[in-house]
Structures are given as structure tokens and as C-alpha cells.
Amino acid sequence: MSVPEENKDSSTVEAPVAKKKGVPEGVGKLIPVYVMGKRYEVPETLTIMKAMEYAGFKFIRGCGCRGGICGACATVYRRAGDYRLRVGLACQTVVEPNMYLTQIPFYPANRASCDFSQLTSSPEEIFKLYPELFRCIACNLCTKACPMDVEVMDYIAALKQGNIARAATLSFNCIQCGLCASRCMGELPQYHIAQLARRIYGSKIAPQAEHLVEVAAAGSSGKYDAYLEALMKMSEEELRRLYQEREMEPEIAPEDWVPNNKEYL
Amino acid sequence: MSYYPGCTLKTKALNFEASAIAAMAALGVNLVELPRWNCCGTVYSMAEDDLAHHIAPVRNLVRVSEQGSGKVVTLCSFCYNTLKRADLLMRNSPEKRDAINAFMDEEIDYQGDVEVVHLLEVLRDDLGWEEIAREVKVPLEGLKVVPYYGCTLTRPQEAAIDSVENPTVLQELLRVLGVTVLDFPLATECCGSFEIVSRPDSVTERAYAILGMALRKGAEAIVVSCPLCAHNLGQQQPKIAEKYGNFPGIPIIYFTQLLALAVGISPELCRFDLNFGEVEALLEKKGLLPQCERSGVGE
Amino acid sequence: MIKKALVIGGGVAGIQAALDIADGGYQVILVERTPSIGGHMAQYAEVFPTLDCPQCILTPKMVDVGQHPNITLLTYAELQRVSGEAGNFKVEILQKARKVDHTKCTGCGTCWQKCPAKVPSEYDAGISERTAIYIPFPQAVPAKPVIDTGHCRYIRYMEFIEGGEEGKKPPQCRICEQLCPVGAIDWEQEDQIVTEQVGAIVVATGFDLMPIERLPEYADDPDVIDGIQFERMLSPGGPTTGVVQRPSDKQIPREVVFVSCAGSRDPEHGVPHCSRVCCMYLAKQAMLYKHAVPDGQAHVFYIDTRTTGKGYEEFLQRTKDEGTVYLRGKVSRIFRDGDKLKVMGVDTLSGKQVEVSADMVVLGMAMLSSEGSKELAARLGIATNEQGFFTESHIKIDPLESTRPGIYLAGTAQGPKDIPDSVAQGSGAASKVLGLFAQSESTSEKMVVS
């Protein structure tokens, strides 16, 4: 192991002083980050999540898919010398020198409760449940915070205009990370409102797929009850055999393909 | 022409918008809705350093700039007032203009180059009463109305579309349409709507003063240009009847609905069903519902 | 140094200045553009705080002016040009053609009694009519008439003939000429330019009230009048002989509203300054109204009550004691509702909105500089402020010197003020002139302190 050279630039150190277990040699430049105020040296190529784990933390909350799609790891951070708070997903954001990190389990935001079955498709319902909608001043900080590039301000605007369909479409990619609400000047819980809008849209506005309606009706009218009963009475061996011998639609099949065994259709 | 609807015209005041678009199309003006517009904030913030509340209207002006049209027309008086004053702020205060532009770093800078107008100004200045008179197919004769401007069309002076104390543009338009416009001294009087939460009795009293005078002058309807005026003067009528008694009520009509009817647009398009008061019944009684129908879309 | 003075304006300030300079031993030319001196003071009914009859206290001075050996009175004349410097001005004065030879006229009054043409009377502020050949009021100095050529029937006839116009021929008239016992009517008389050399000039051109039309929220209604019109109505020598009658139907009003600060103290709508006299004269008018209509009710809407002179505050208290109701608040709108005028105002001391059903409204309209003062200032080469009041050399310590040496200011031409102050300034300007004349040679340019 070489003795580290004194560098004029105190923000980097050439090589790790002690060999960390499980970490290969030559991980590259280390940079300082501050977690809850305490300084740690972490490789500069790591994401926040990996860097904190490198530093020895173990995530039991605020960690999910690690792939930027589940929205669990919303993080707030600062850079040294800069007053601004920045947000991002811990699993996607790469560390920077002198980053100040903190972690909270989840970014809180008010969620209205309602009996969904009693709601109509009128925008008034959303206005009543989330009157804070009208506190939006179109500052656009929400859109800037969104890691999924959702046009948050635009869908809130659409809702104010009573256009639930447009709001549902625009908010489709939302991963419910809560970063939009964390920056909102009007304290709107945008992602909760959008979820309600999507639910109303899907359930009460969007045209229903006819075949789906038919199948659901068939199901609730008891068409499949007998099969289910039969299956429930089968032994494990029988079920295993049924499963292994099942007919599957081939990769390339004609439009009108049907299985040979039509018993359960 | 770039057109800014405002949230209320898309929700509660669909009648105002539908009649306006149809009528203007018949007059040869295509109102093109501004893309990606947002709520204007409704009330222009009067706190000098409250720049945050100026972002919303300025963002809309940026949208107009992006369209390259240089001019935007609104229907709702509050939207007109808010956009107009935000534009004036950006023109007159370089410091605030720079601060707001810097904050909206994801948008192009707004330099104060958009002209904000109200539809009444377009009718008076761009089309002119003579041309509108030529397009009138159904003169609305016999209908006696009073005009009500509300507060935001003529105040403050720098944003006023007409004389502050004695505006006449609405009366001039209505006369061109053949309507009998009665003299109405309370045309710019406050209806009290701002106090609806803190002093609801005051609001009823103010609305009664205005509507009572309208009835005493013999008006059959009151013509407005703003969804809030329509809402407040409508909502208060049952309360007035309860509190003061002997109040038969008076229907409320948007000026664009009368304009649309006069240029031959079908009543269905005007959505009188959303108005307060029995407007269609009144029009029918006056024999003003047209025989032939015209959709107003590119004939 | 030419030790002769020119006084422009024949109101009380100009009259006082002229008399004081003349009494000081020097020649004075007093130029007045209307047919008679007297100014606005001659129009009032009774003046505060003494309730003196203004004609009674003014006419002796007017007669003095007319008779003073040192004063040359040029009425119906206007200043045209000025050149030169302090001690040595050359002035050109336009003597408008009166069409009446004053050397022959005896002032018998036959002509104006018989003249058929009727014109709104300027002296009565439009609430009555005068004839085309007229003296403005009975105590006019000079008490000899002029012919208002714009409204004379014969002049109109001559224009028709000489212009070769088409249509119906207007009447030839000439009744005044026929009836005049001394043949004083002189149709050939022309405008004349009178050139004079003077050493000092005093500007005392007075004020005019802001026209009511500038405040459209106060209705275009015959029963909404201004202070001077009401003075004429209250005046025992006026068109209603002191009977308070409202213009629309001549009924005696039982409820009169007085509105202070109509146009004053209002940078947005009117003028920013305070017109200084309205608080007092509206209080006086309310008091006189009560004297004339004892069972009537007067309301005054005010912002402040500015009663700064000697005896003024006591006068105001008397008005209140005699039953005038004072409401602190502005009036937002006045409109006609059938027989009455609805006055919508507010009483800020109780926090309530107030609506008065009045029979008549008197507006305390803002005091503006006399019409044409900016043009006159340009001719004289002196400055005015934005409202047209002449600018003084230094507003605190030299209020009677204009911005040009040798030209002095007096009266409401310099700014709103009441009669005692106008008289005082008239004397003050005169003393400046006398001081100038006391110097043996022309002075060099004095520093103008701005």
C-alpha cells in the first residue's frame, strides 16, 4: 500500500488508505460527502445510494428497485457553499464533492381520503378533496424536480381547467416519489392529486374495453365458480401435472388460435 | 388571434366561451386557444415585492410570445386585469422583470412585448361598430337591459379599457345589436363579491342595490362580461329574495351570448342552460330566437 | 427707470396693488380682460367669516380705481407682448373693440334693457342670461357696456351679408343704436393696440374653478352645481334674488349636499393641491342655505376642515351648531333617481356607507389658475407650475417675485388663497414695485432662487 500523497486540492485523495472488504483495488478518485454532517470519503463514480452503502450505511427504508422507477429513494441534498436545496433519486444521482446528504423515510404530503365508489367524474370532486389545487402559482418548481420528466405544472393546470383526461395522460409516468411536493410553493401534494385524477379517469371517464366488461360480468355471474371449486379440491400432484401439461399459445400464432382442450374456455 | 380562456371559462362559464368563439368566428376572427396556458392567478397581487404571484400571468405572456402573435385577447375580466397588469409591471419595472425572467429560467425571457386586450376592445377597435352592425342578422329589438362592468375592466386607470367612471363600450356594442340599453348609474359599482366570506350580509346588500336599481329602471336582464359578476349576482338573488322580499329576480346574460344571437348563431350553441335565470324563456317571449340556424363555423 | 407700473388683472388683488402703487405716487395701468373690474369677489353672496357683502366692501375700491388720477383703467383689454427688462418694459396691450364709444356713453342702460339677444351670463356662472350689449353686473366699473360681437345680431347679420352666405337672412336688429340717446354705438370701432412703457408689472390674473365635466362620476345633471353658481343663487342681487331654487324645477331644495375636495387633493383624477378656501366657503354656503331655508338640511362631506384664518374655526363651529351635518368621507358617485339626487358617500368616523337623497348638490370644485395663464406666462417670459399657477422666485422667502425680475405676483394667480391674503399680496406686490422705483437706476439681474 502506498502512502497517500499530500494534495493541494483537498477535495480528492489518490488511493484508499485501507483496503475495504469486498471493494476492488483501484476504485478511482475518492471525494468527500457529508452524511448527517459527518464527513465520508467515497468513490466519485457512485450514486448517492451506493455511496452511502460504501460509507457503511444500510438502507432498510427509502430504498426500492434501485433502478429509478419505484420512487422510494427520494433524496434532498445540498452542495457546500450553496444555499439551494436540490432533490433527486438516490439510486440515480451521482455524488459530487462536498455534497451534504440527509435522509428521511419518505417525503410527507397530505392525502385526502374519500369513498371512491361515491365519487362522480366531475372535476368538482377533485376540487373539493384538494382545494389546495388553487394555491398553485405556476412556479414550475415541481416539473424541475421530477426525475421522470413529468410535466407536473401542466397537469395541475389541466385539472384546474377541469380536464381530468389530460391530467391523467400527462401524469402517466409518475413514480410517486414525492419530490414535486417537496418543492411546491403552494404545498400541493401533486402526485396524490394526479393519482386521484388517474383513478377517476380510468374508472369513470375512460371508455371501458367491451371484452373486459364482458369477462368481468361473466366472472361475477359465476361462470368460473365451478372450475375454481374443482381446482381447489385437487391435490398438489394433480395441480402440478395440470400445470406442466398446460397448452400455451405459441410465440407466433394465427389470430384465431384456440387450445385443443376447450374445457375451461 | 391568440385567445386566453382562463380556468373559469373551461369549467363554470362554458356558455361565455362557446358563444364568444362562435360569434367571433361569424365575424371573421378565429380565436385560437393559447397552447399550454396556465391559471393566471385571478387576482393581481398588489404587494409590491410579491413576485412569486406574478409568475403565473407572466408565464402566459411568455406563451403568447412563443406563438409570435404579439397580442392576446381574453374574455374573463379578471384574467384581463391580471394579465394586463402583469404585463405593465414587466414593462415598467426593469428590476422585477429581470428577477422574474431569471426565476423562470426554463422559459424564454419576457420583455413586455405582448398587447393584452379584452374582447370588447377588439370589437370596438379592431372590428368597429359599423362592421359589426353590418353582420347583425337578428336585431335584438325590444330587449331592455342594463350593462354591468364590474370592477376589473375599468380599474386601475392604467389597465382600463374605457373611462374609469363613465365607460360606454358595452352600451355601444349592445346598441349596435339593437338592444335597448337603459341608463344605469351603478354600472361600475362594487358588487361586494370579495367579502363573501368575511361579510356575507354586505354582499347581499350590495347585490340588492345593483339588481334592485336594474329592476327599477325597467331592465329585463343584466348584461355582464365576467364569470365572477355572473356568479355573484346570480347566487345572491335567492338570498336577496329571502332577506328583502318582493324581489322577482333578473336573468344574467353574457354580452357574447347576445352578440352571438344577433349575428345568427343558434341558441343551443350559446348554452343559455348554464345561465342564471330563464334567459331562453325571456328571449322567446321577446321573439328573438332566430328561425334559421347557423353554426358559425366557416360558412 | 420708467416709474410706471402695469397691473394685469382687475380682481381684488390687482385692484389693491393698483391703488397702493397709485397712492405711492406713481402711474399705474390696470388691464382687465372682462368688461369690468371686480373679479370673482364681486360674484359672491356673503364672504366669510364676517358675512360681509363683498360688493359692498369691494365697490368702494373699484370706484377708487376708476377715479384715481394715477390709474389708467383699460377694461376689455388683454396683454399681447412684453419686451425689455425690469425698469424698462415695453408692453403691447390689445384694447378689444367695445363697439360703444365710452366718451359718449352715459351708462343709462337703455340699450341693454332692450337688447333681444340672450347669452349665458358669465357673471352669474351660467345660471341666468345677459344680453349681447351688456355690463356684467350693476356695480360694474366702468358702468358702460360692451357689445359681445360673437352674439350680437347685427354683427351676425353683417357677417351674413359680407360673406355672401346662403339661406335665411338673420334679423338686422340695431335696436341699441336706435335707442341710444347719445349715439354712442360705433360699429366701425376696431381692436386697437396700445403700446406703453412701464418699469414693473404685477400679475394678478386670479383663478377659475375646475369645470364639473372633469368629474363624470358626479353626474351631468342641472341640480349639481359648483360654488360660484350657488353664490349667485344665494346673492340677494342675483338671478333668484336670494331665493334658493334648484335649477331643474325651481323647487326649494330641502336637502342639500356639499361636497368638499371635488377635484382637489386628487392626483389621479384631478389636481394634487388643496384649494384652500373650499372648506370655509362650503361652511359659509351651508350656513347661508340654512338662513334662507330654515327647515332645510345641509350635509357636508369633507376630508379635513381647513380653517386656518382668524375667526375661521369659530365660524365653522357655528355652522355645525346651526345644524349642518358634517360627514368625514368622500363621495364616490352622484346620480339622479327620479326626483332626487342619490349621493353615495361614506362616513369614515363611524365606518358606515352613507347614501343621501338630496335635492341639490353643491361641489367644492378645485381652484385652478385662471384660464389662459400658461399662455400669458409664455408672453411674459415667466414660469408656472403644472397647474398654471405662476411660479414665485422663492416659495418661502420671496413669494411675490416671479421668475423674471420686475414682474411680480399677487393673489390667486400665485396659488389658491382667500380674500384677506389676496389683498395682502396685492399690497405686498405694490411695495415691491415701489421699492423698485425707489432705486435711482435700473437694477442688474437679480439671482433667481429656484
Side-chain angles (χ1 to χ4, degrees), chain A residues 84 123-124 127 135-141 144 151 153-154 157 160-162 166 185, chain B residues 6-7 10-12 33 36-39 52-53 55-56 59 63 103-107:
Chain A
R84 264 196 235 182
E124 297 291 323
F127 298 161
R135 293 205 291 258
C136 169
I137 57 166
C139 68
N140 216 15
L141 290 177
K144 291 181 188 176
E151 290 174 317
M153 180 183 75
D154 289 326
K160 281 166 102 172
Q161 296 156 28
R166 182 151 190 263
M185 286 204 209
Chain B
C7 306
K10 293 292 189 189
T11 51
K12 288 201 150 67
E33 187 171 319
R36 269 195 85 204
W37 59 273
N38 55 259
C39 171
H53 283 101
I55 296 168
R59 203 183 285 276
R63 298 278 172 266
F103 180 85
M104 293 200 293
D105 51 10
E106 75 279 20
E107 310 275 9

Side-chain angles (χ1 to χ4, degrees), chain B:
Chain B
M1 191 178 292
S2 251
Y3 155 61
Y4 177 82
C7 306
T8 320
L9 262 76
K10 293 292 189 189
T11 51
K12 288 201 150 67
L14 291 166
N15 46 356
F16 197 7
E17 185 182 56
S19 54
I21 294 181
M24 293 310 285
L27 291 170
V29 176
N30 191 17
L31 293 180
V32 177
E33 187 171 319
L34 200 56
R36 269 195 85 204
W37 59 273
N38 55 259
C39 171
C40 70
T42 307
V43 180
Y44 179 78
S45 173
M46 302 216 244
E48 286 254 327
D49 50 2
D50 184 10
L51 299 186
H53 283 101
H54 296 139
I55 296 168
V58 174
R59 203 183 285 276
N60 286 309
L61 297 171
V62 165
R63 298 278 172 266
V64 181
S65 277
E66 283 172 346
Q67 298 305 302
S69 62
K71 186 160 156 172
V72 65
V73 61
T74 74
L75 288 173
C76 167
S77 307
F78 264 91
C79 295
Y80 165 73
N81 192 281
T82 310
L83 291 180
K84 181 82 183 177
R85 293 170 78 184
D87 176 56
L88 287 168
L89 180 85
M90 294 297 269
R91 285 178 199 224
N92 297 332
S93 169
E95 256 176 51
K96 296 186 178 154
R97 176 173 65 233
D98 291 342
I100 293 174
N101 278 332
F103 180 85
M104 293 200 293
D105 51 10
E106 75 279 20
E107 310 275 9
I108 59 172
D109 279 355
Y110 179 66
Q111 302 297 354
D113 49 318
V114 169
E115 200 193 333
V116 179
V117 291
H118 186 269
L119 188 65
L120 283 169
E121 293 182 280
V122 173
L123 291 170
R124 178 189 62 196
D125 302 330
D126 296 347
L127 289 172
W129 303 134
E130 280 171 20
E131 179 164 334
I132 297 174
R134 276 198 288 273
E135 294 292 329
V136 171
K137 306 280 181 293
V138 184
L140 304 174
E141 269 149 30
L143 180 65
K144 297 204 277 276
V145 305
V146 292
Y148 183 69
Y149 287 84
C151 48
T152 44
L153 279 183
T154 57
R155 297 172 195 144
Q157 252 181 43
E158 54 190 8
I161 65 169
D162 199 347
S163 149
V164 175
E165 297 288 350
N166 230 353
T168 53
V169 59
L170 194 48
Q171 291 93 311
E172 287 166 17
L173 171 67
L174 292 171
R175 288 201 181 104
V176 161
L177 304 179
V179 178
T180 306
V181 184
L182 305 164
D183 175 48
F184 192 52
L186 300 184
T188 57
E189 279 307 298
C190 172
C191 73
S193 63
F194 264 69
E195 298 271 25
I196 191 66
V197 179
S198 44
R199 294 166 70 179
D201 287 337
S202 243
V203 186
T204 311
E205 196 196 309
R206 296 310 315 153
Y208 180 48
I210 295 167
L211 297 172
M213 156 108 16
L215 284 172
R216 276 207 308 282
K217 295 277 180 183
E220 293 164 323
I222 182 161
V223 177
V224 300
S225 163
C226 165
L228 184 59
C229 298
H231 175 83
N232 193 43
L233 292 177
Q235 290 285 338
Q236 288 297 320
Q237 292 195 29
K239 299 195 179 122
I240 293 171
E242 194 187 311
K243 184 166 172 183
Y244 295 99
N246 191 25
F247 182 74
I250 178 167
I252 301 175
I253 313 183
Y254 288 108
F255 75 89
T256 49
Q257 292 175 309
L258 291 180
L259 176 66
L261 214 54
V263 297
I265 305 294
S266 80
E268 280 81 54
L269 266 171
C270 297
R271 299 296 311 267
F272 289 115
D273 54 304
L274 294 174
N275 284 45
F276 180 89
E278 300 296 325
V279 179
E280 257 191 284
L282 169 68
L283 294 170
E284 193 164 11
K285 195 172 81 170
K286 294 286 181 180
L288 294 173
L289 293 182
Q291 308 307 316
C292 70
E293 316 221 318
R294 191 171 148 183
S295 68
V297 178
E299 280 206 12

Side-chain angles (χ1 to χ4, degrees), chain C residues 115-171:
Chain C
C115 173
K118 299 282 182 272
V119 183
S121 162
E122 294 86 349
Y123 176 72
D124 279 337
I127 64 169
S128 82
E129 288 173 326
R130 59 160 171 81
T131 45
I133 184 169
Y134 71 109
I135 55 168
F137 53 99
Q139 304 86 7
V141 171
K144 296 178 183 177
V146 307
I147 295 182
D148 174 1
T149 54
H151 291 97
C152 168
R153 288 188 183 188
Y154 176 62
I155 305 262
R156 174 76 196 102
Y157 169 84
M158 291 303 293
E159 281 171 5
F160 183 91
I161 299 294
E162 277 157 25
E165 291 176 34
E166 312 245 311
K168 188 165 170 235
K169 212 162 36 167

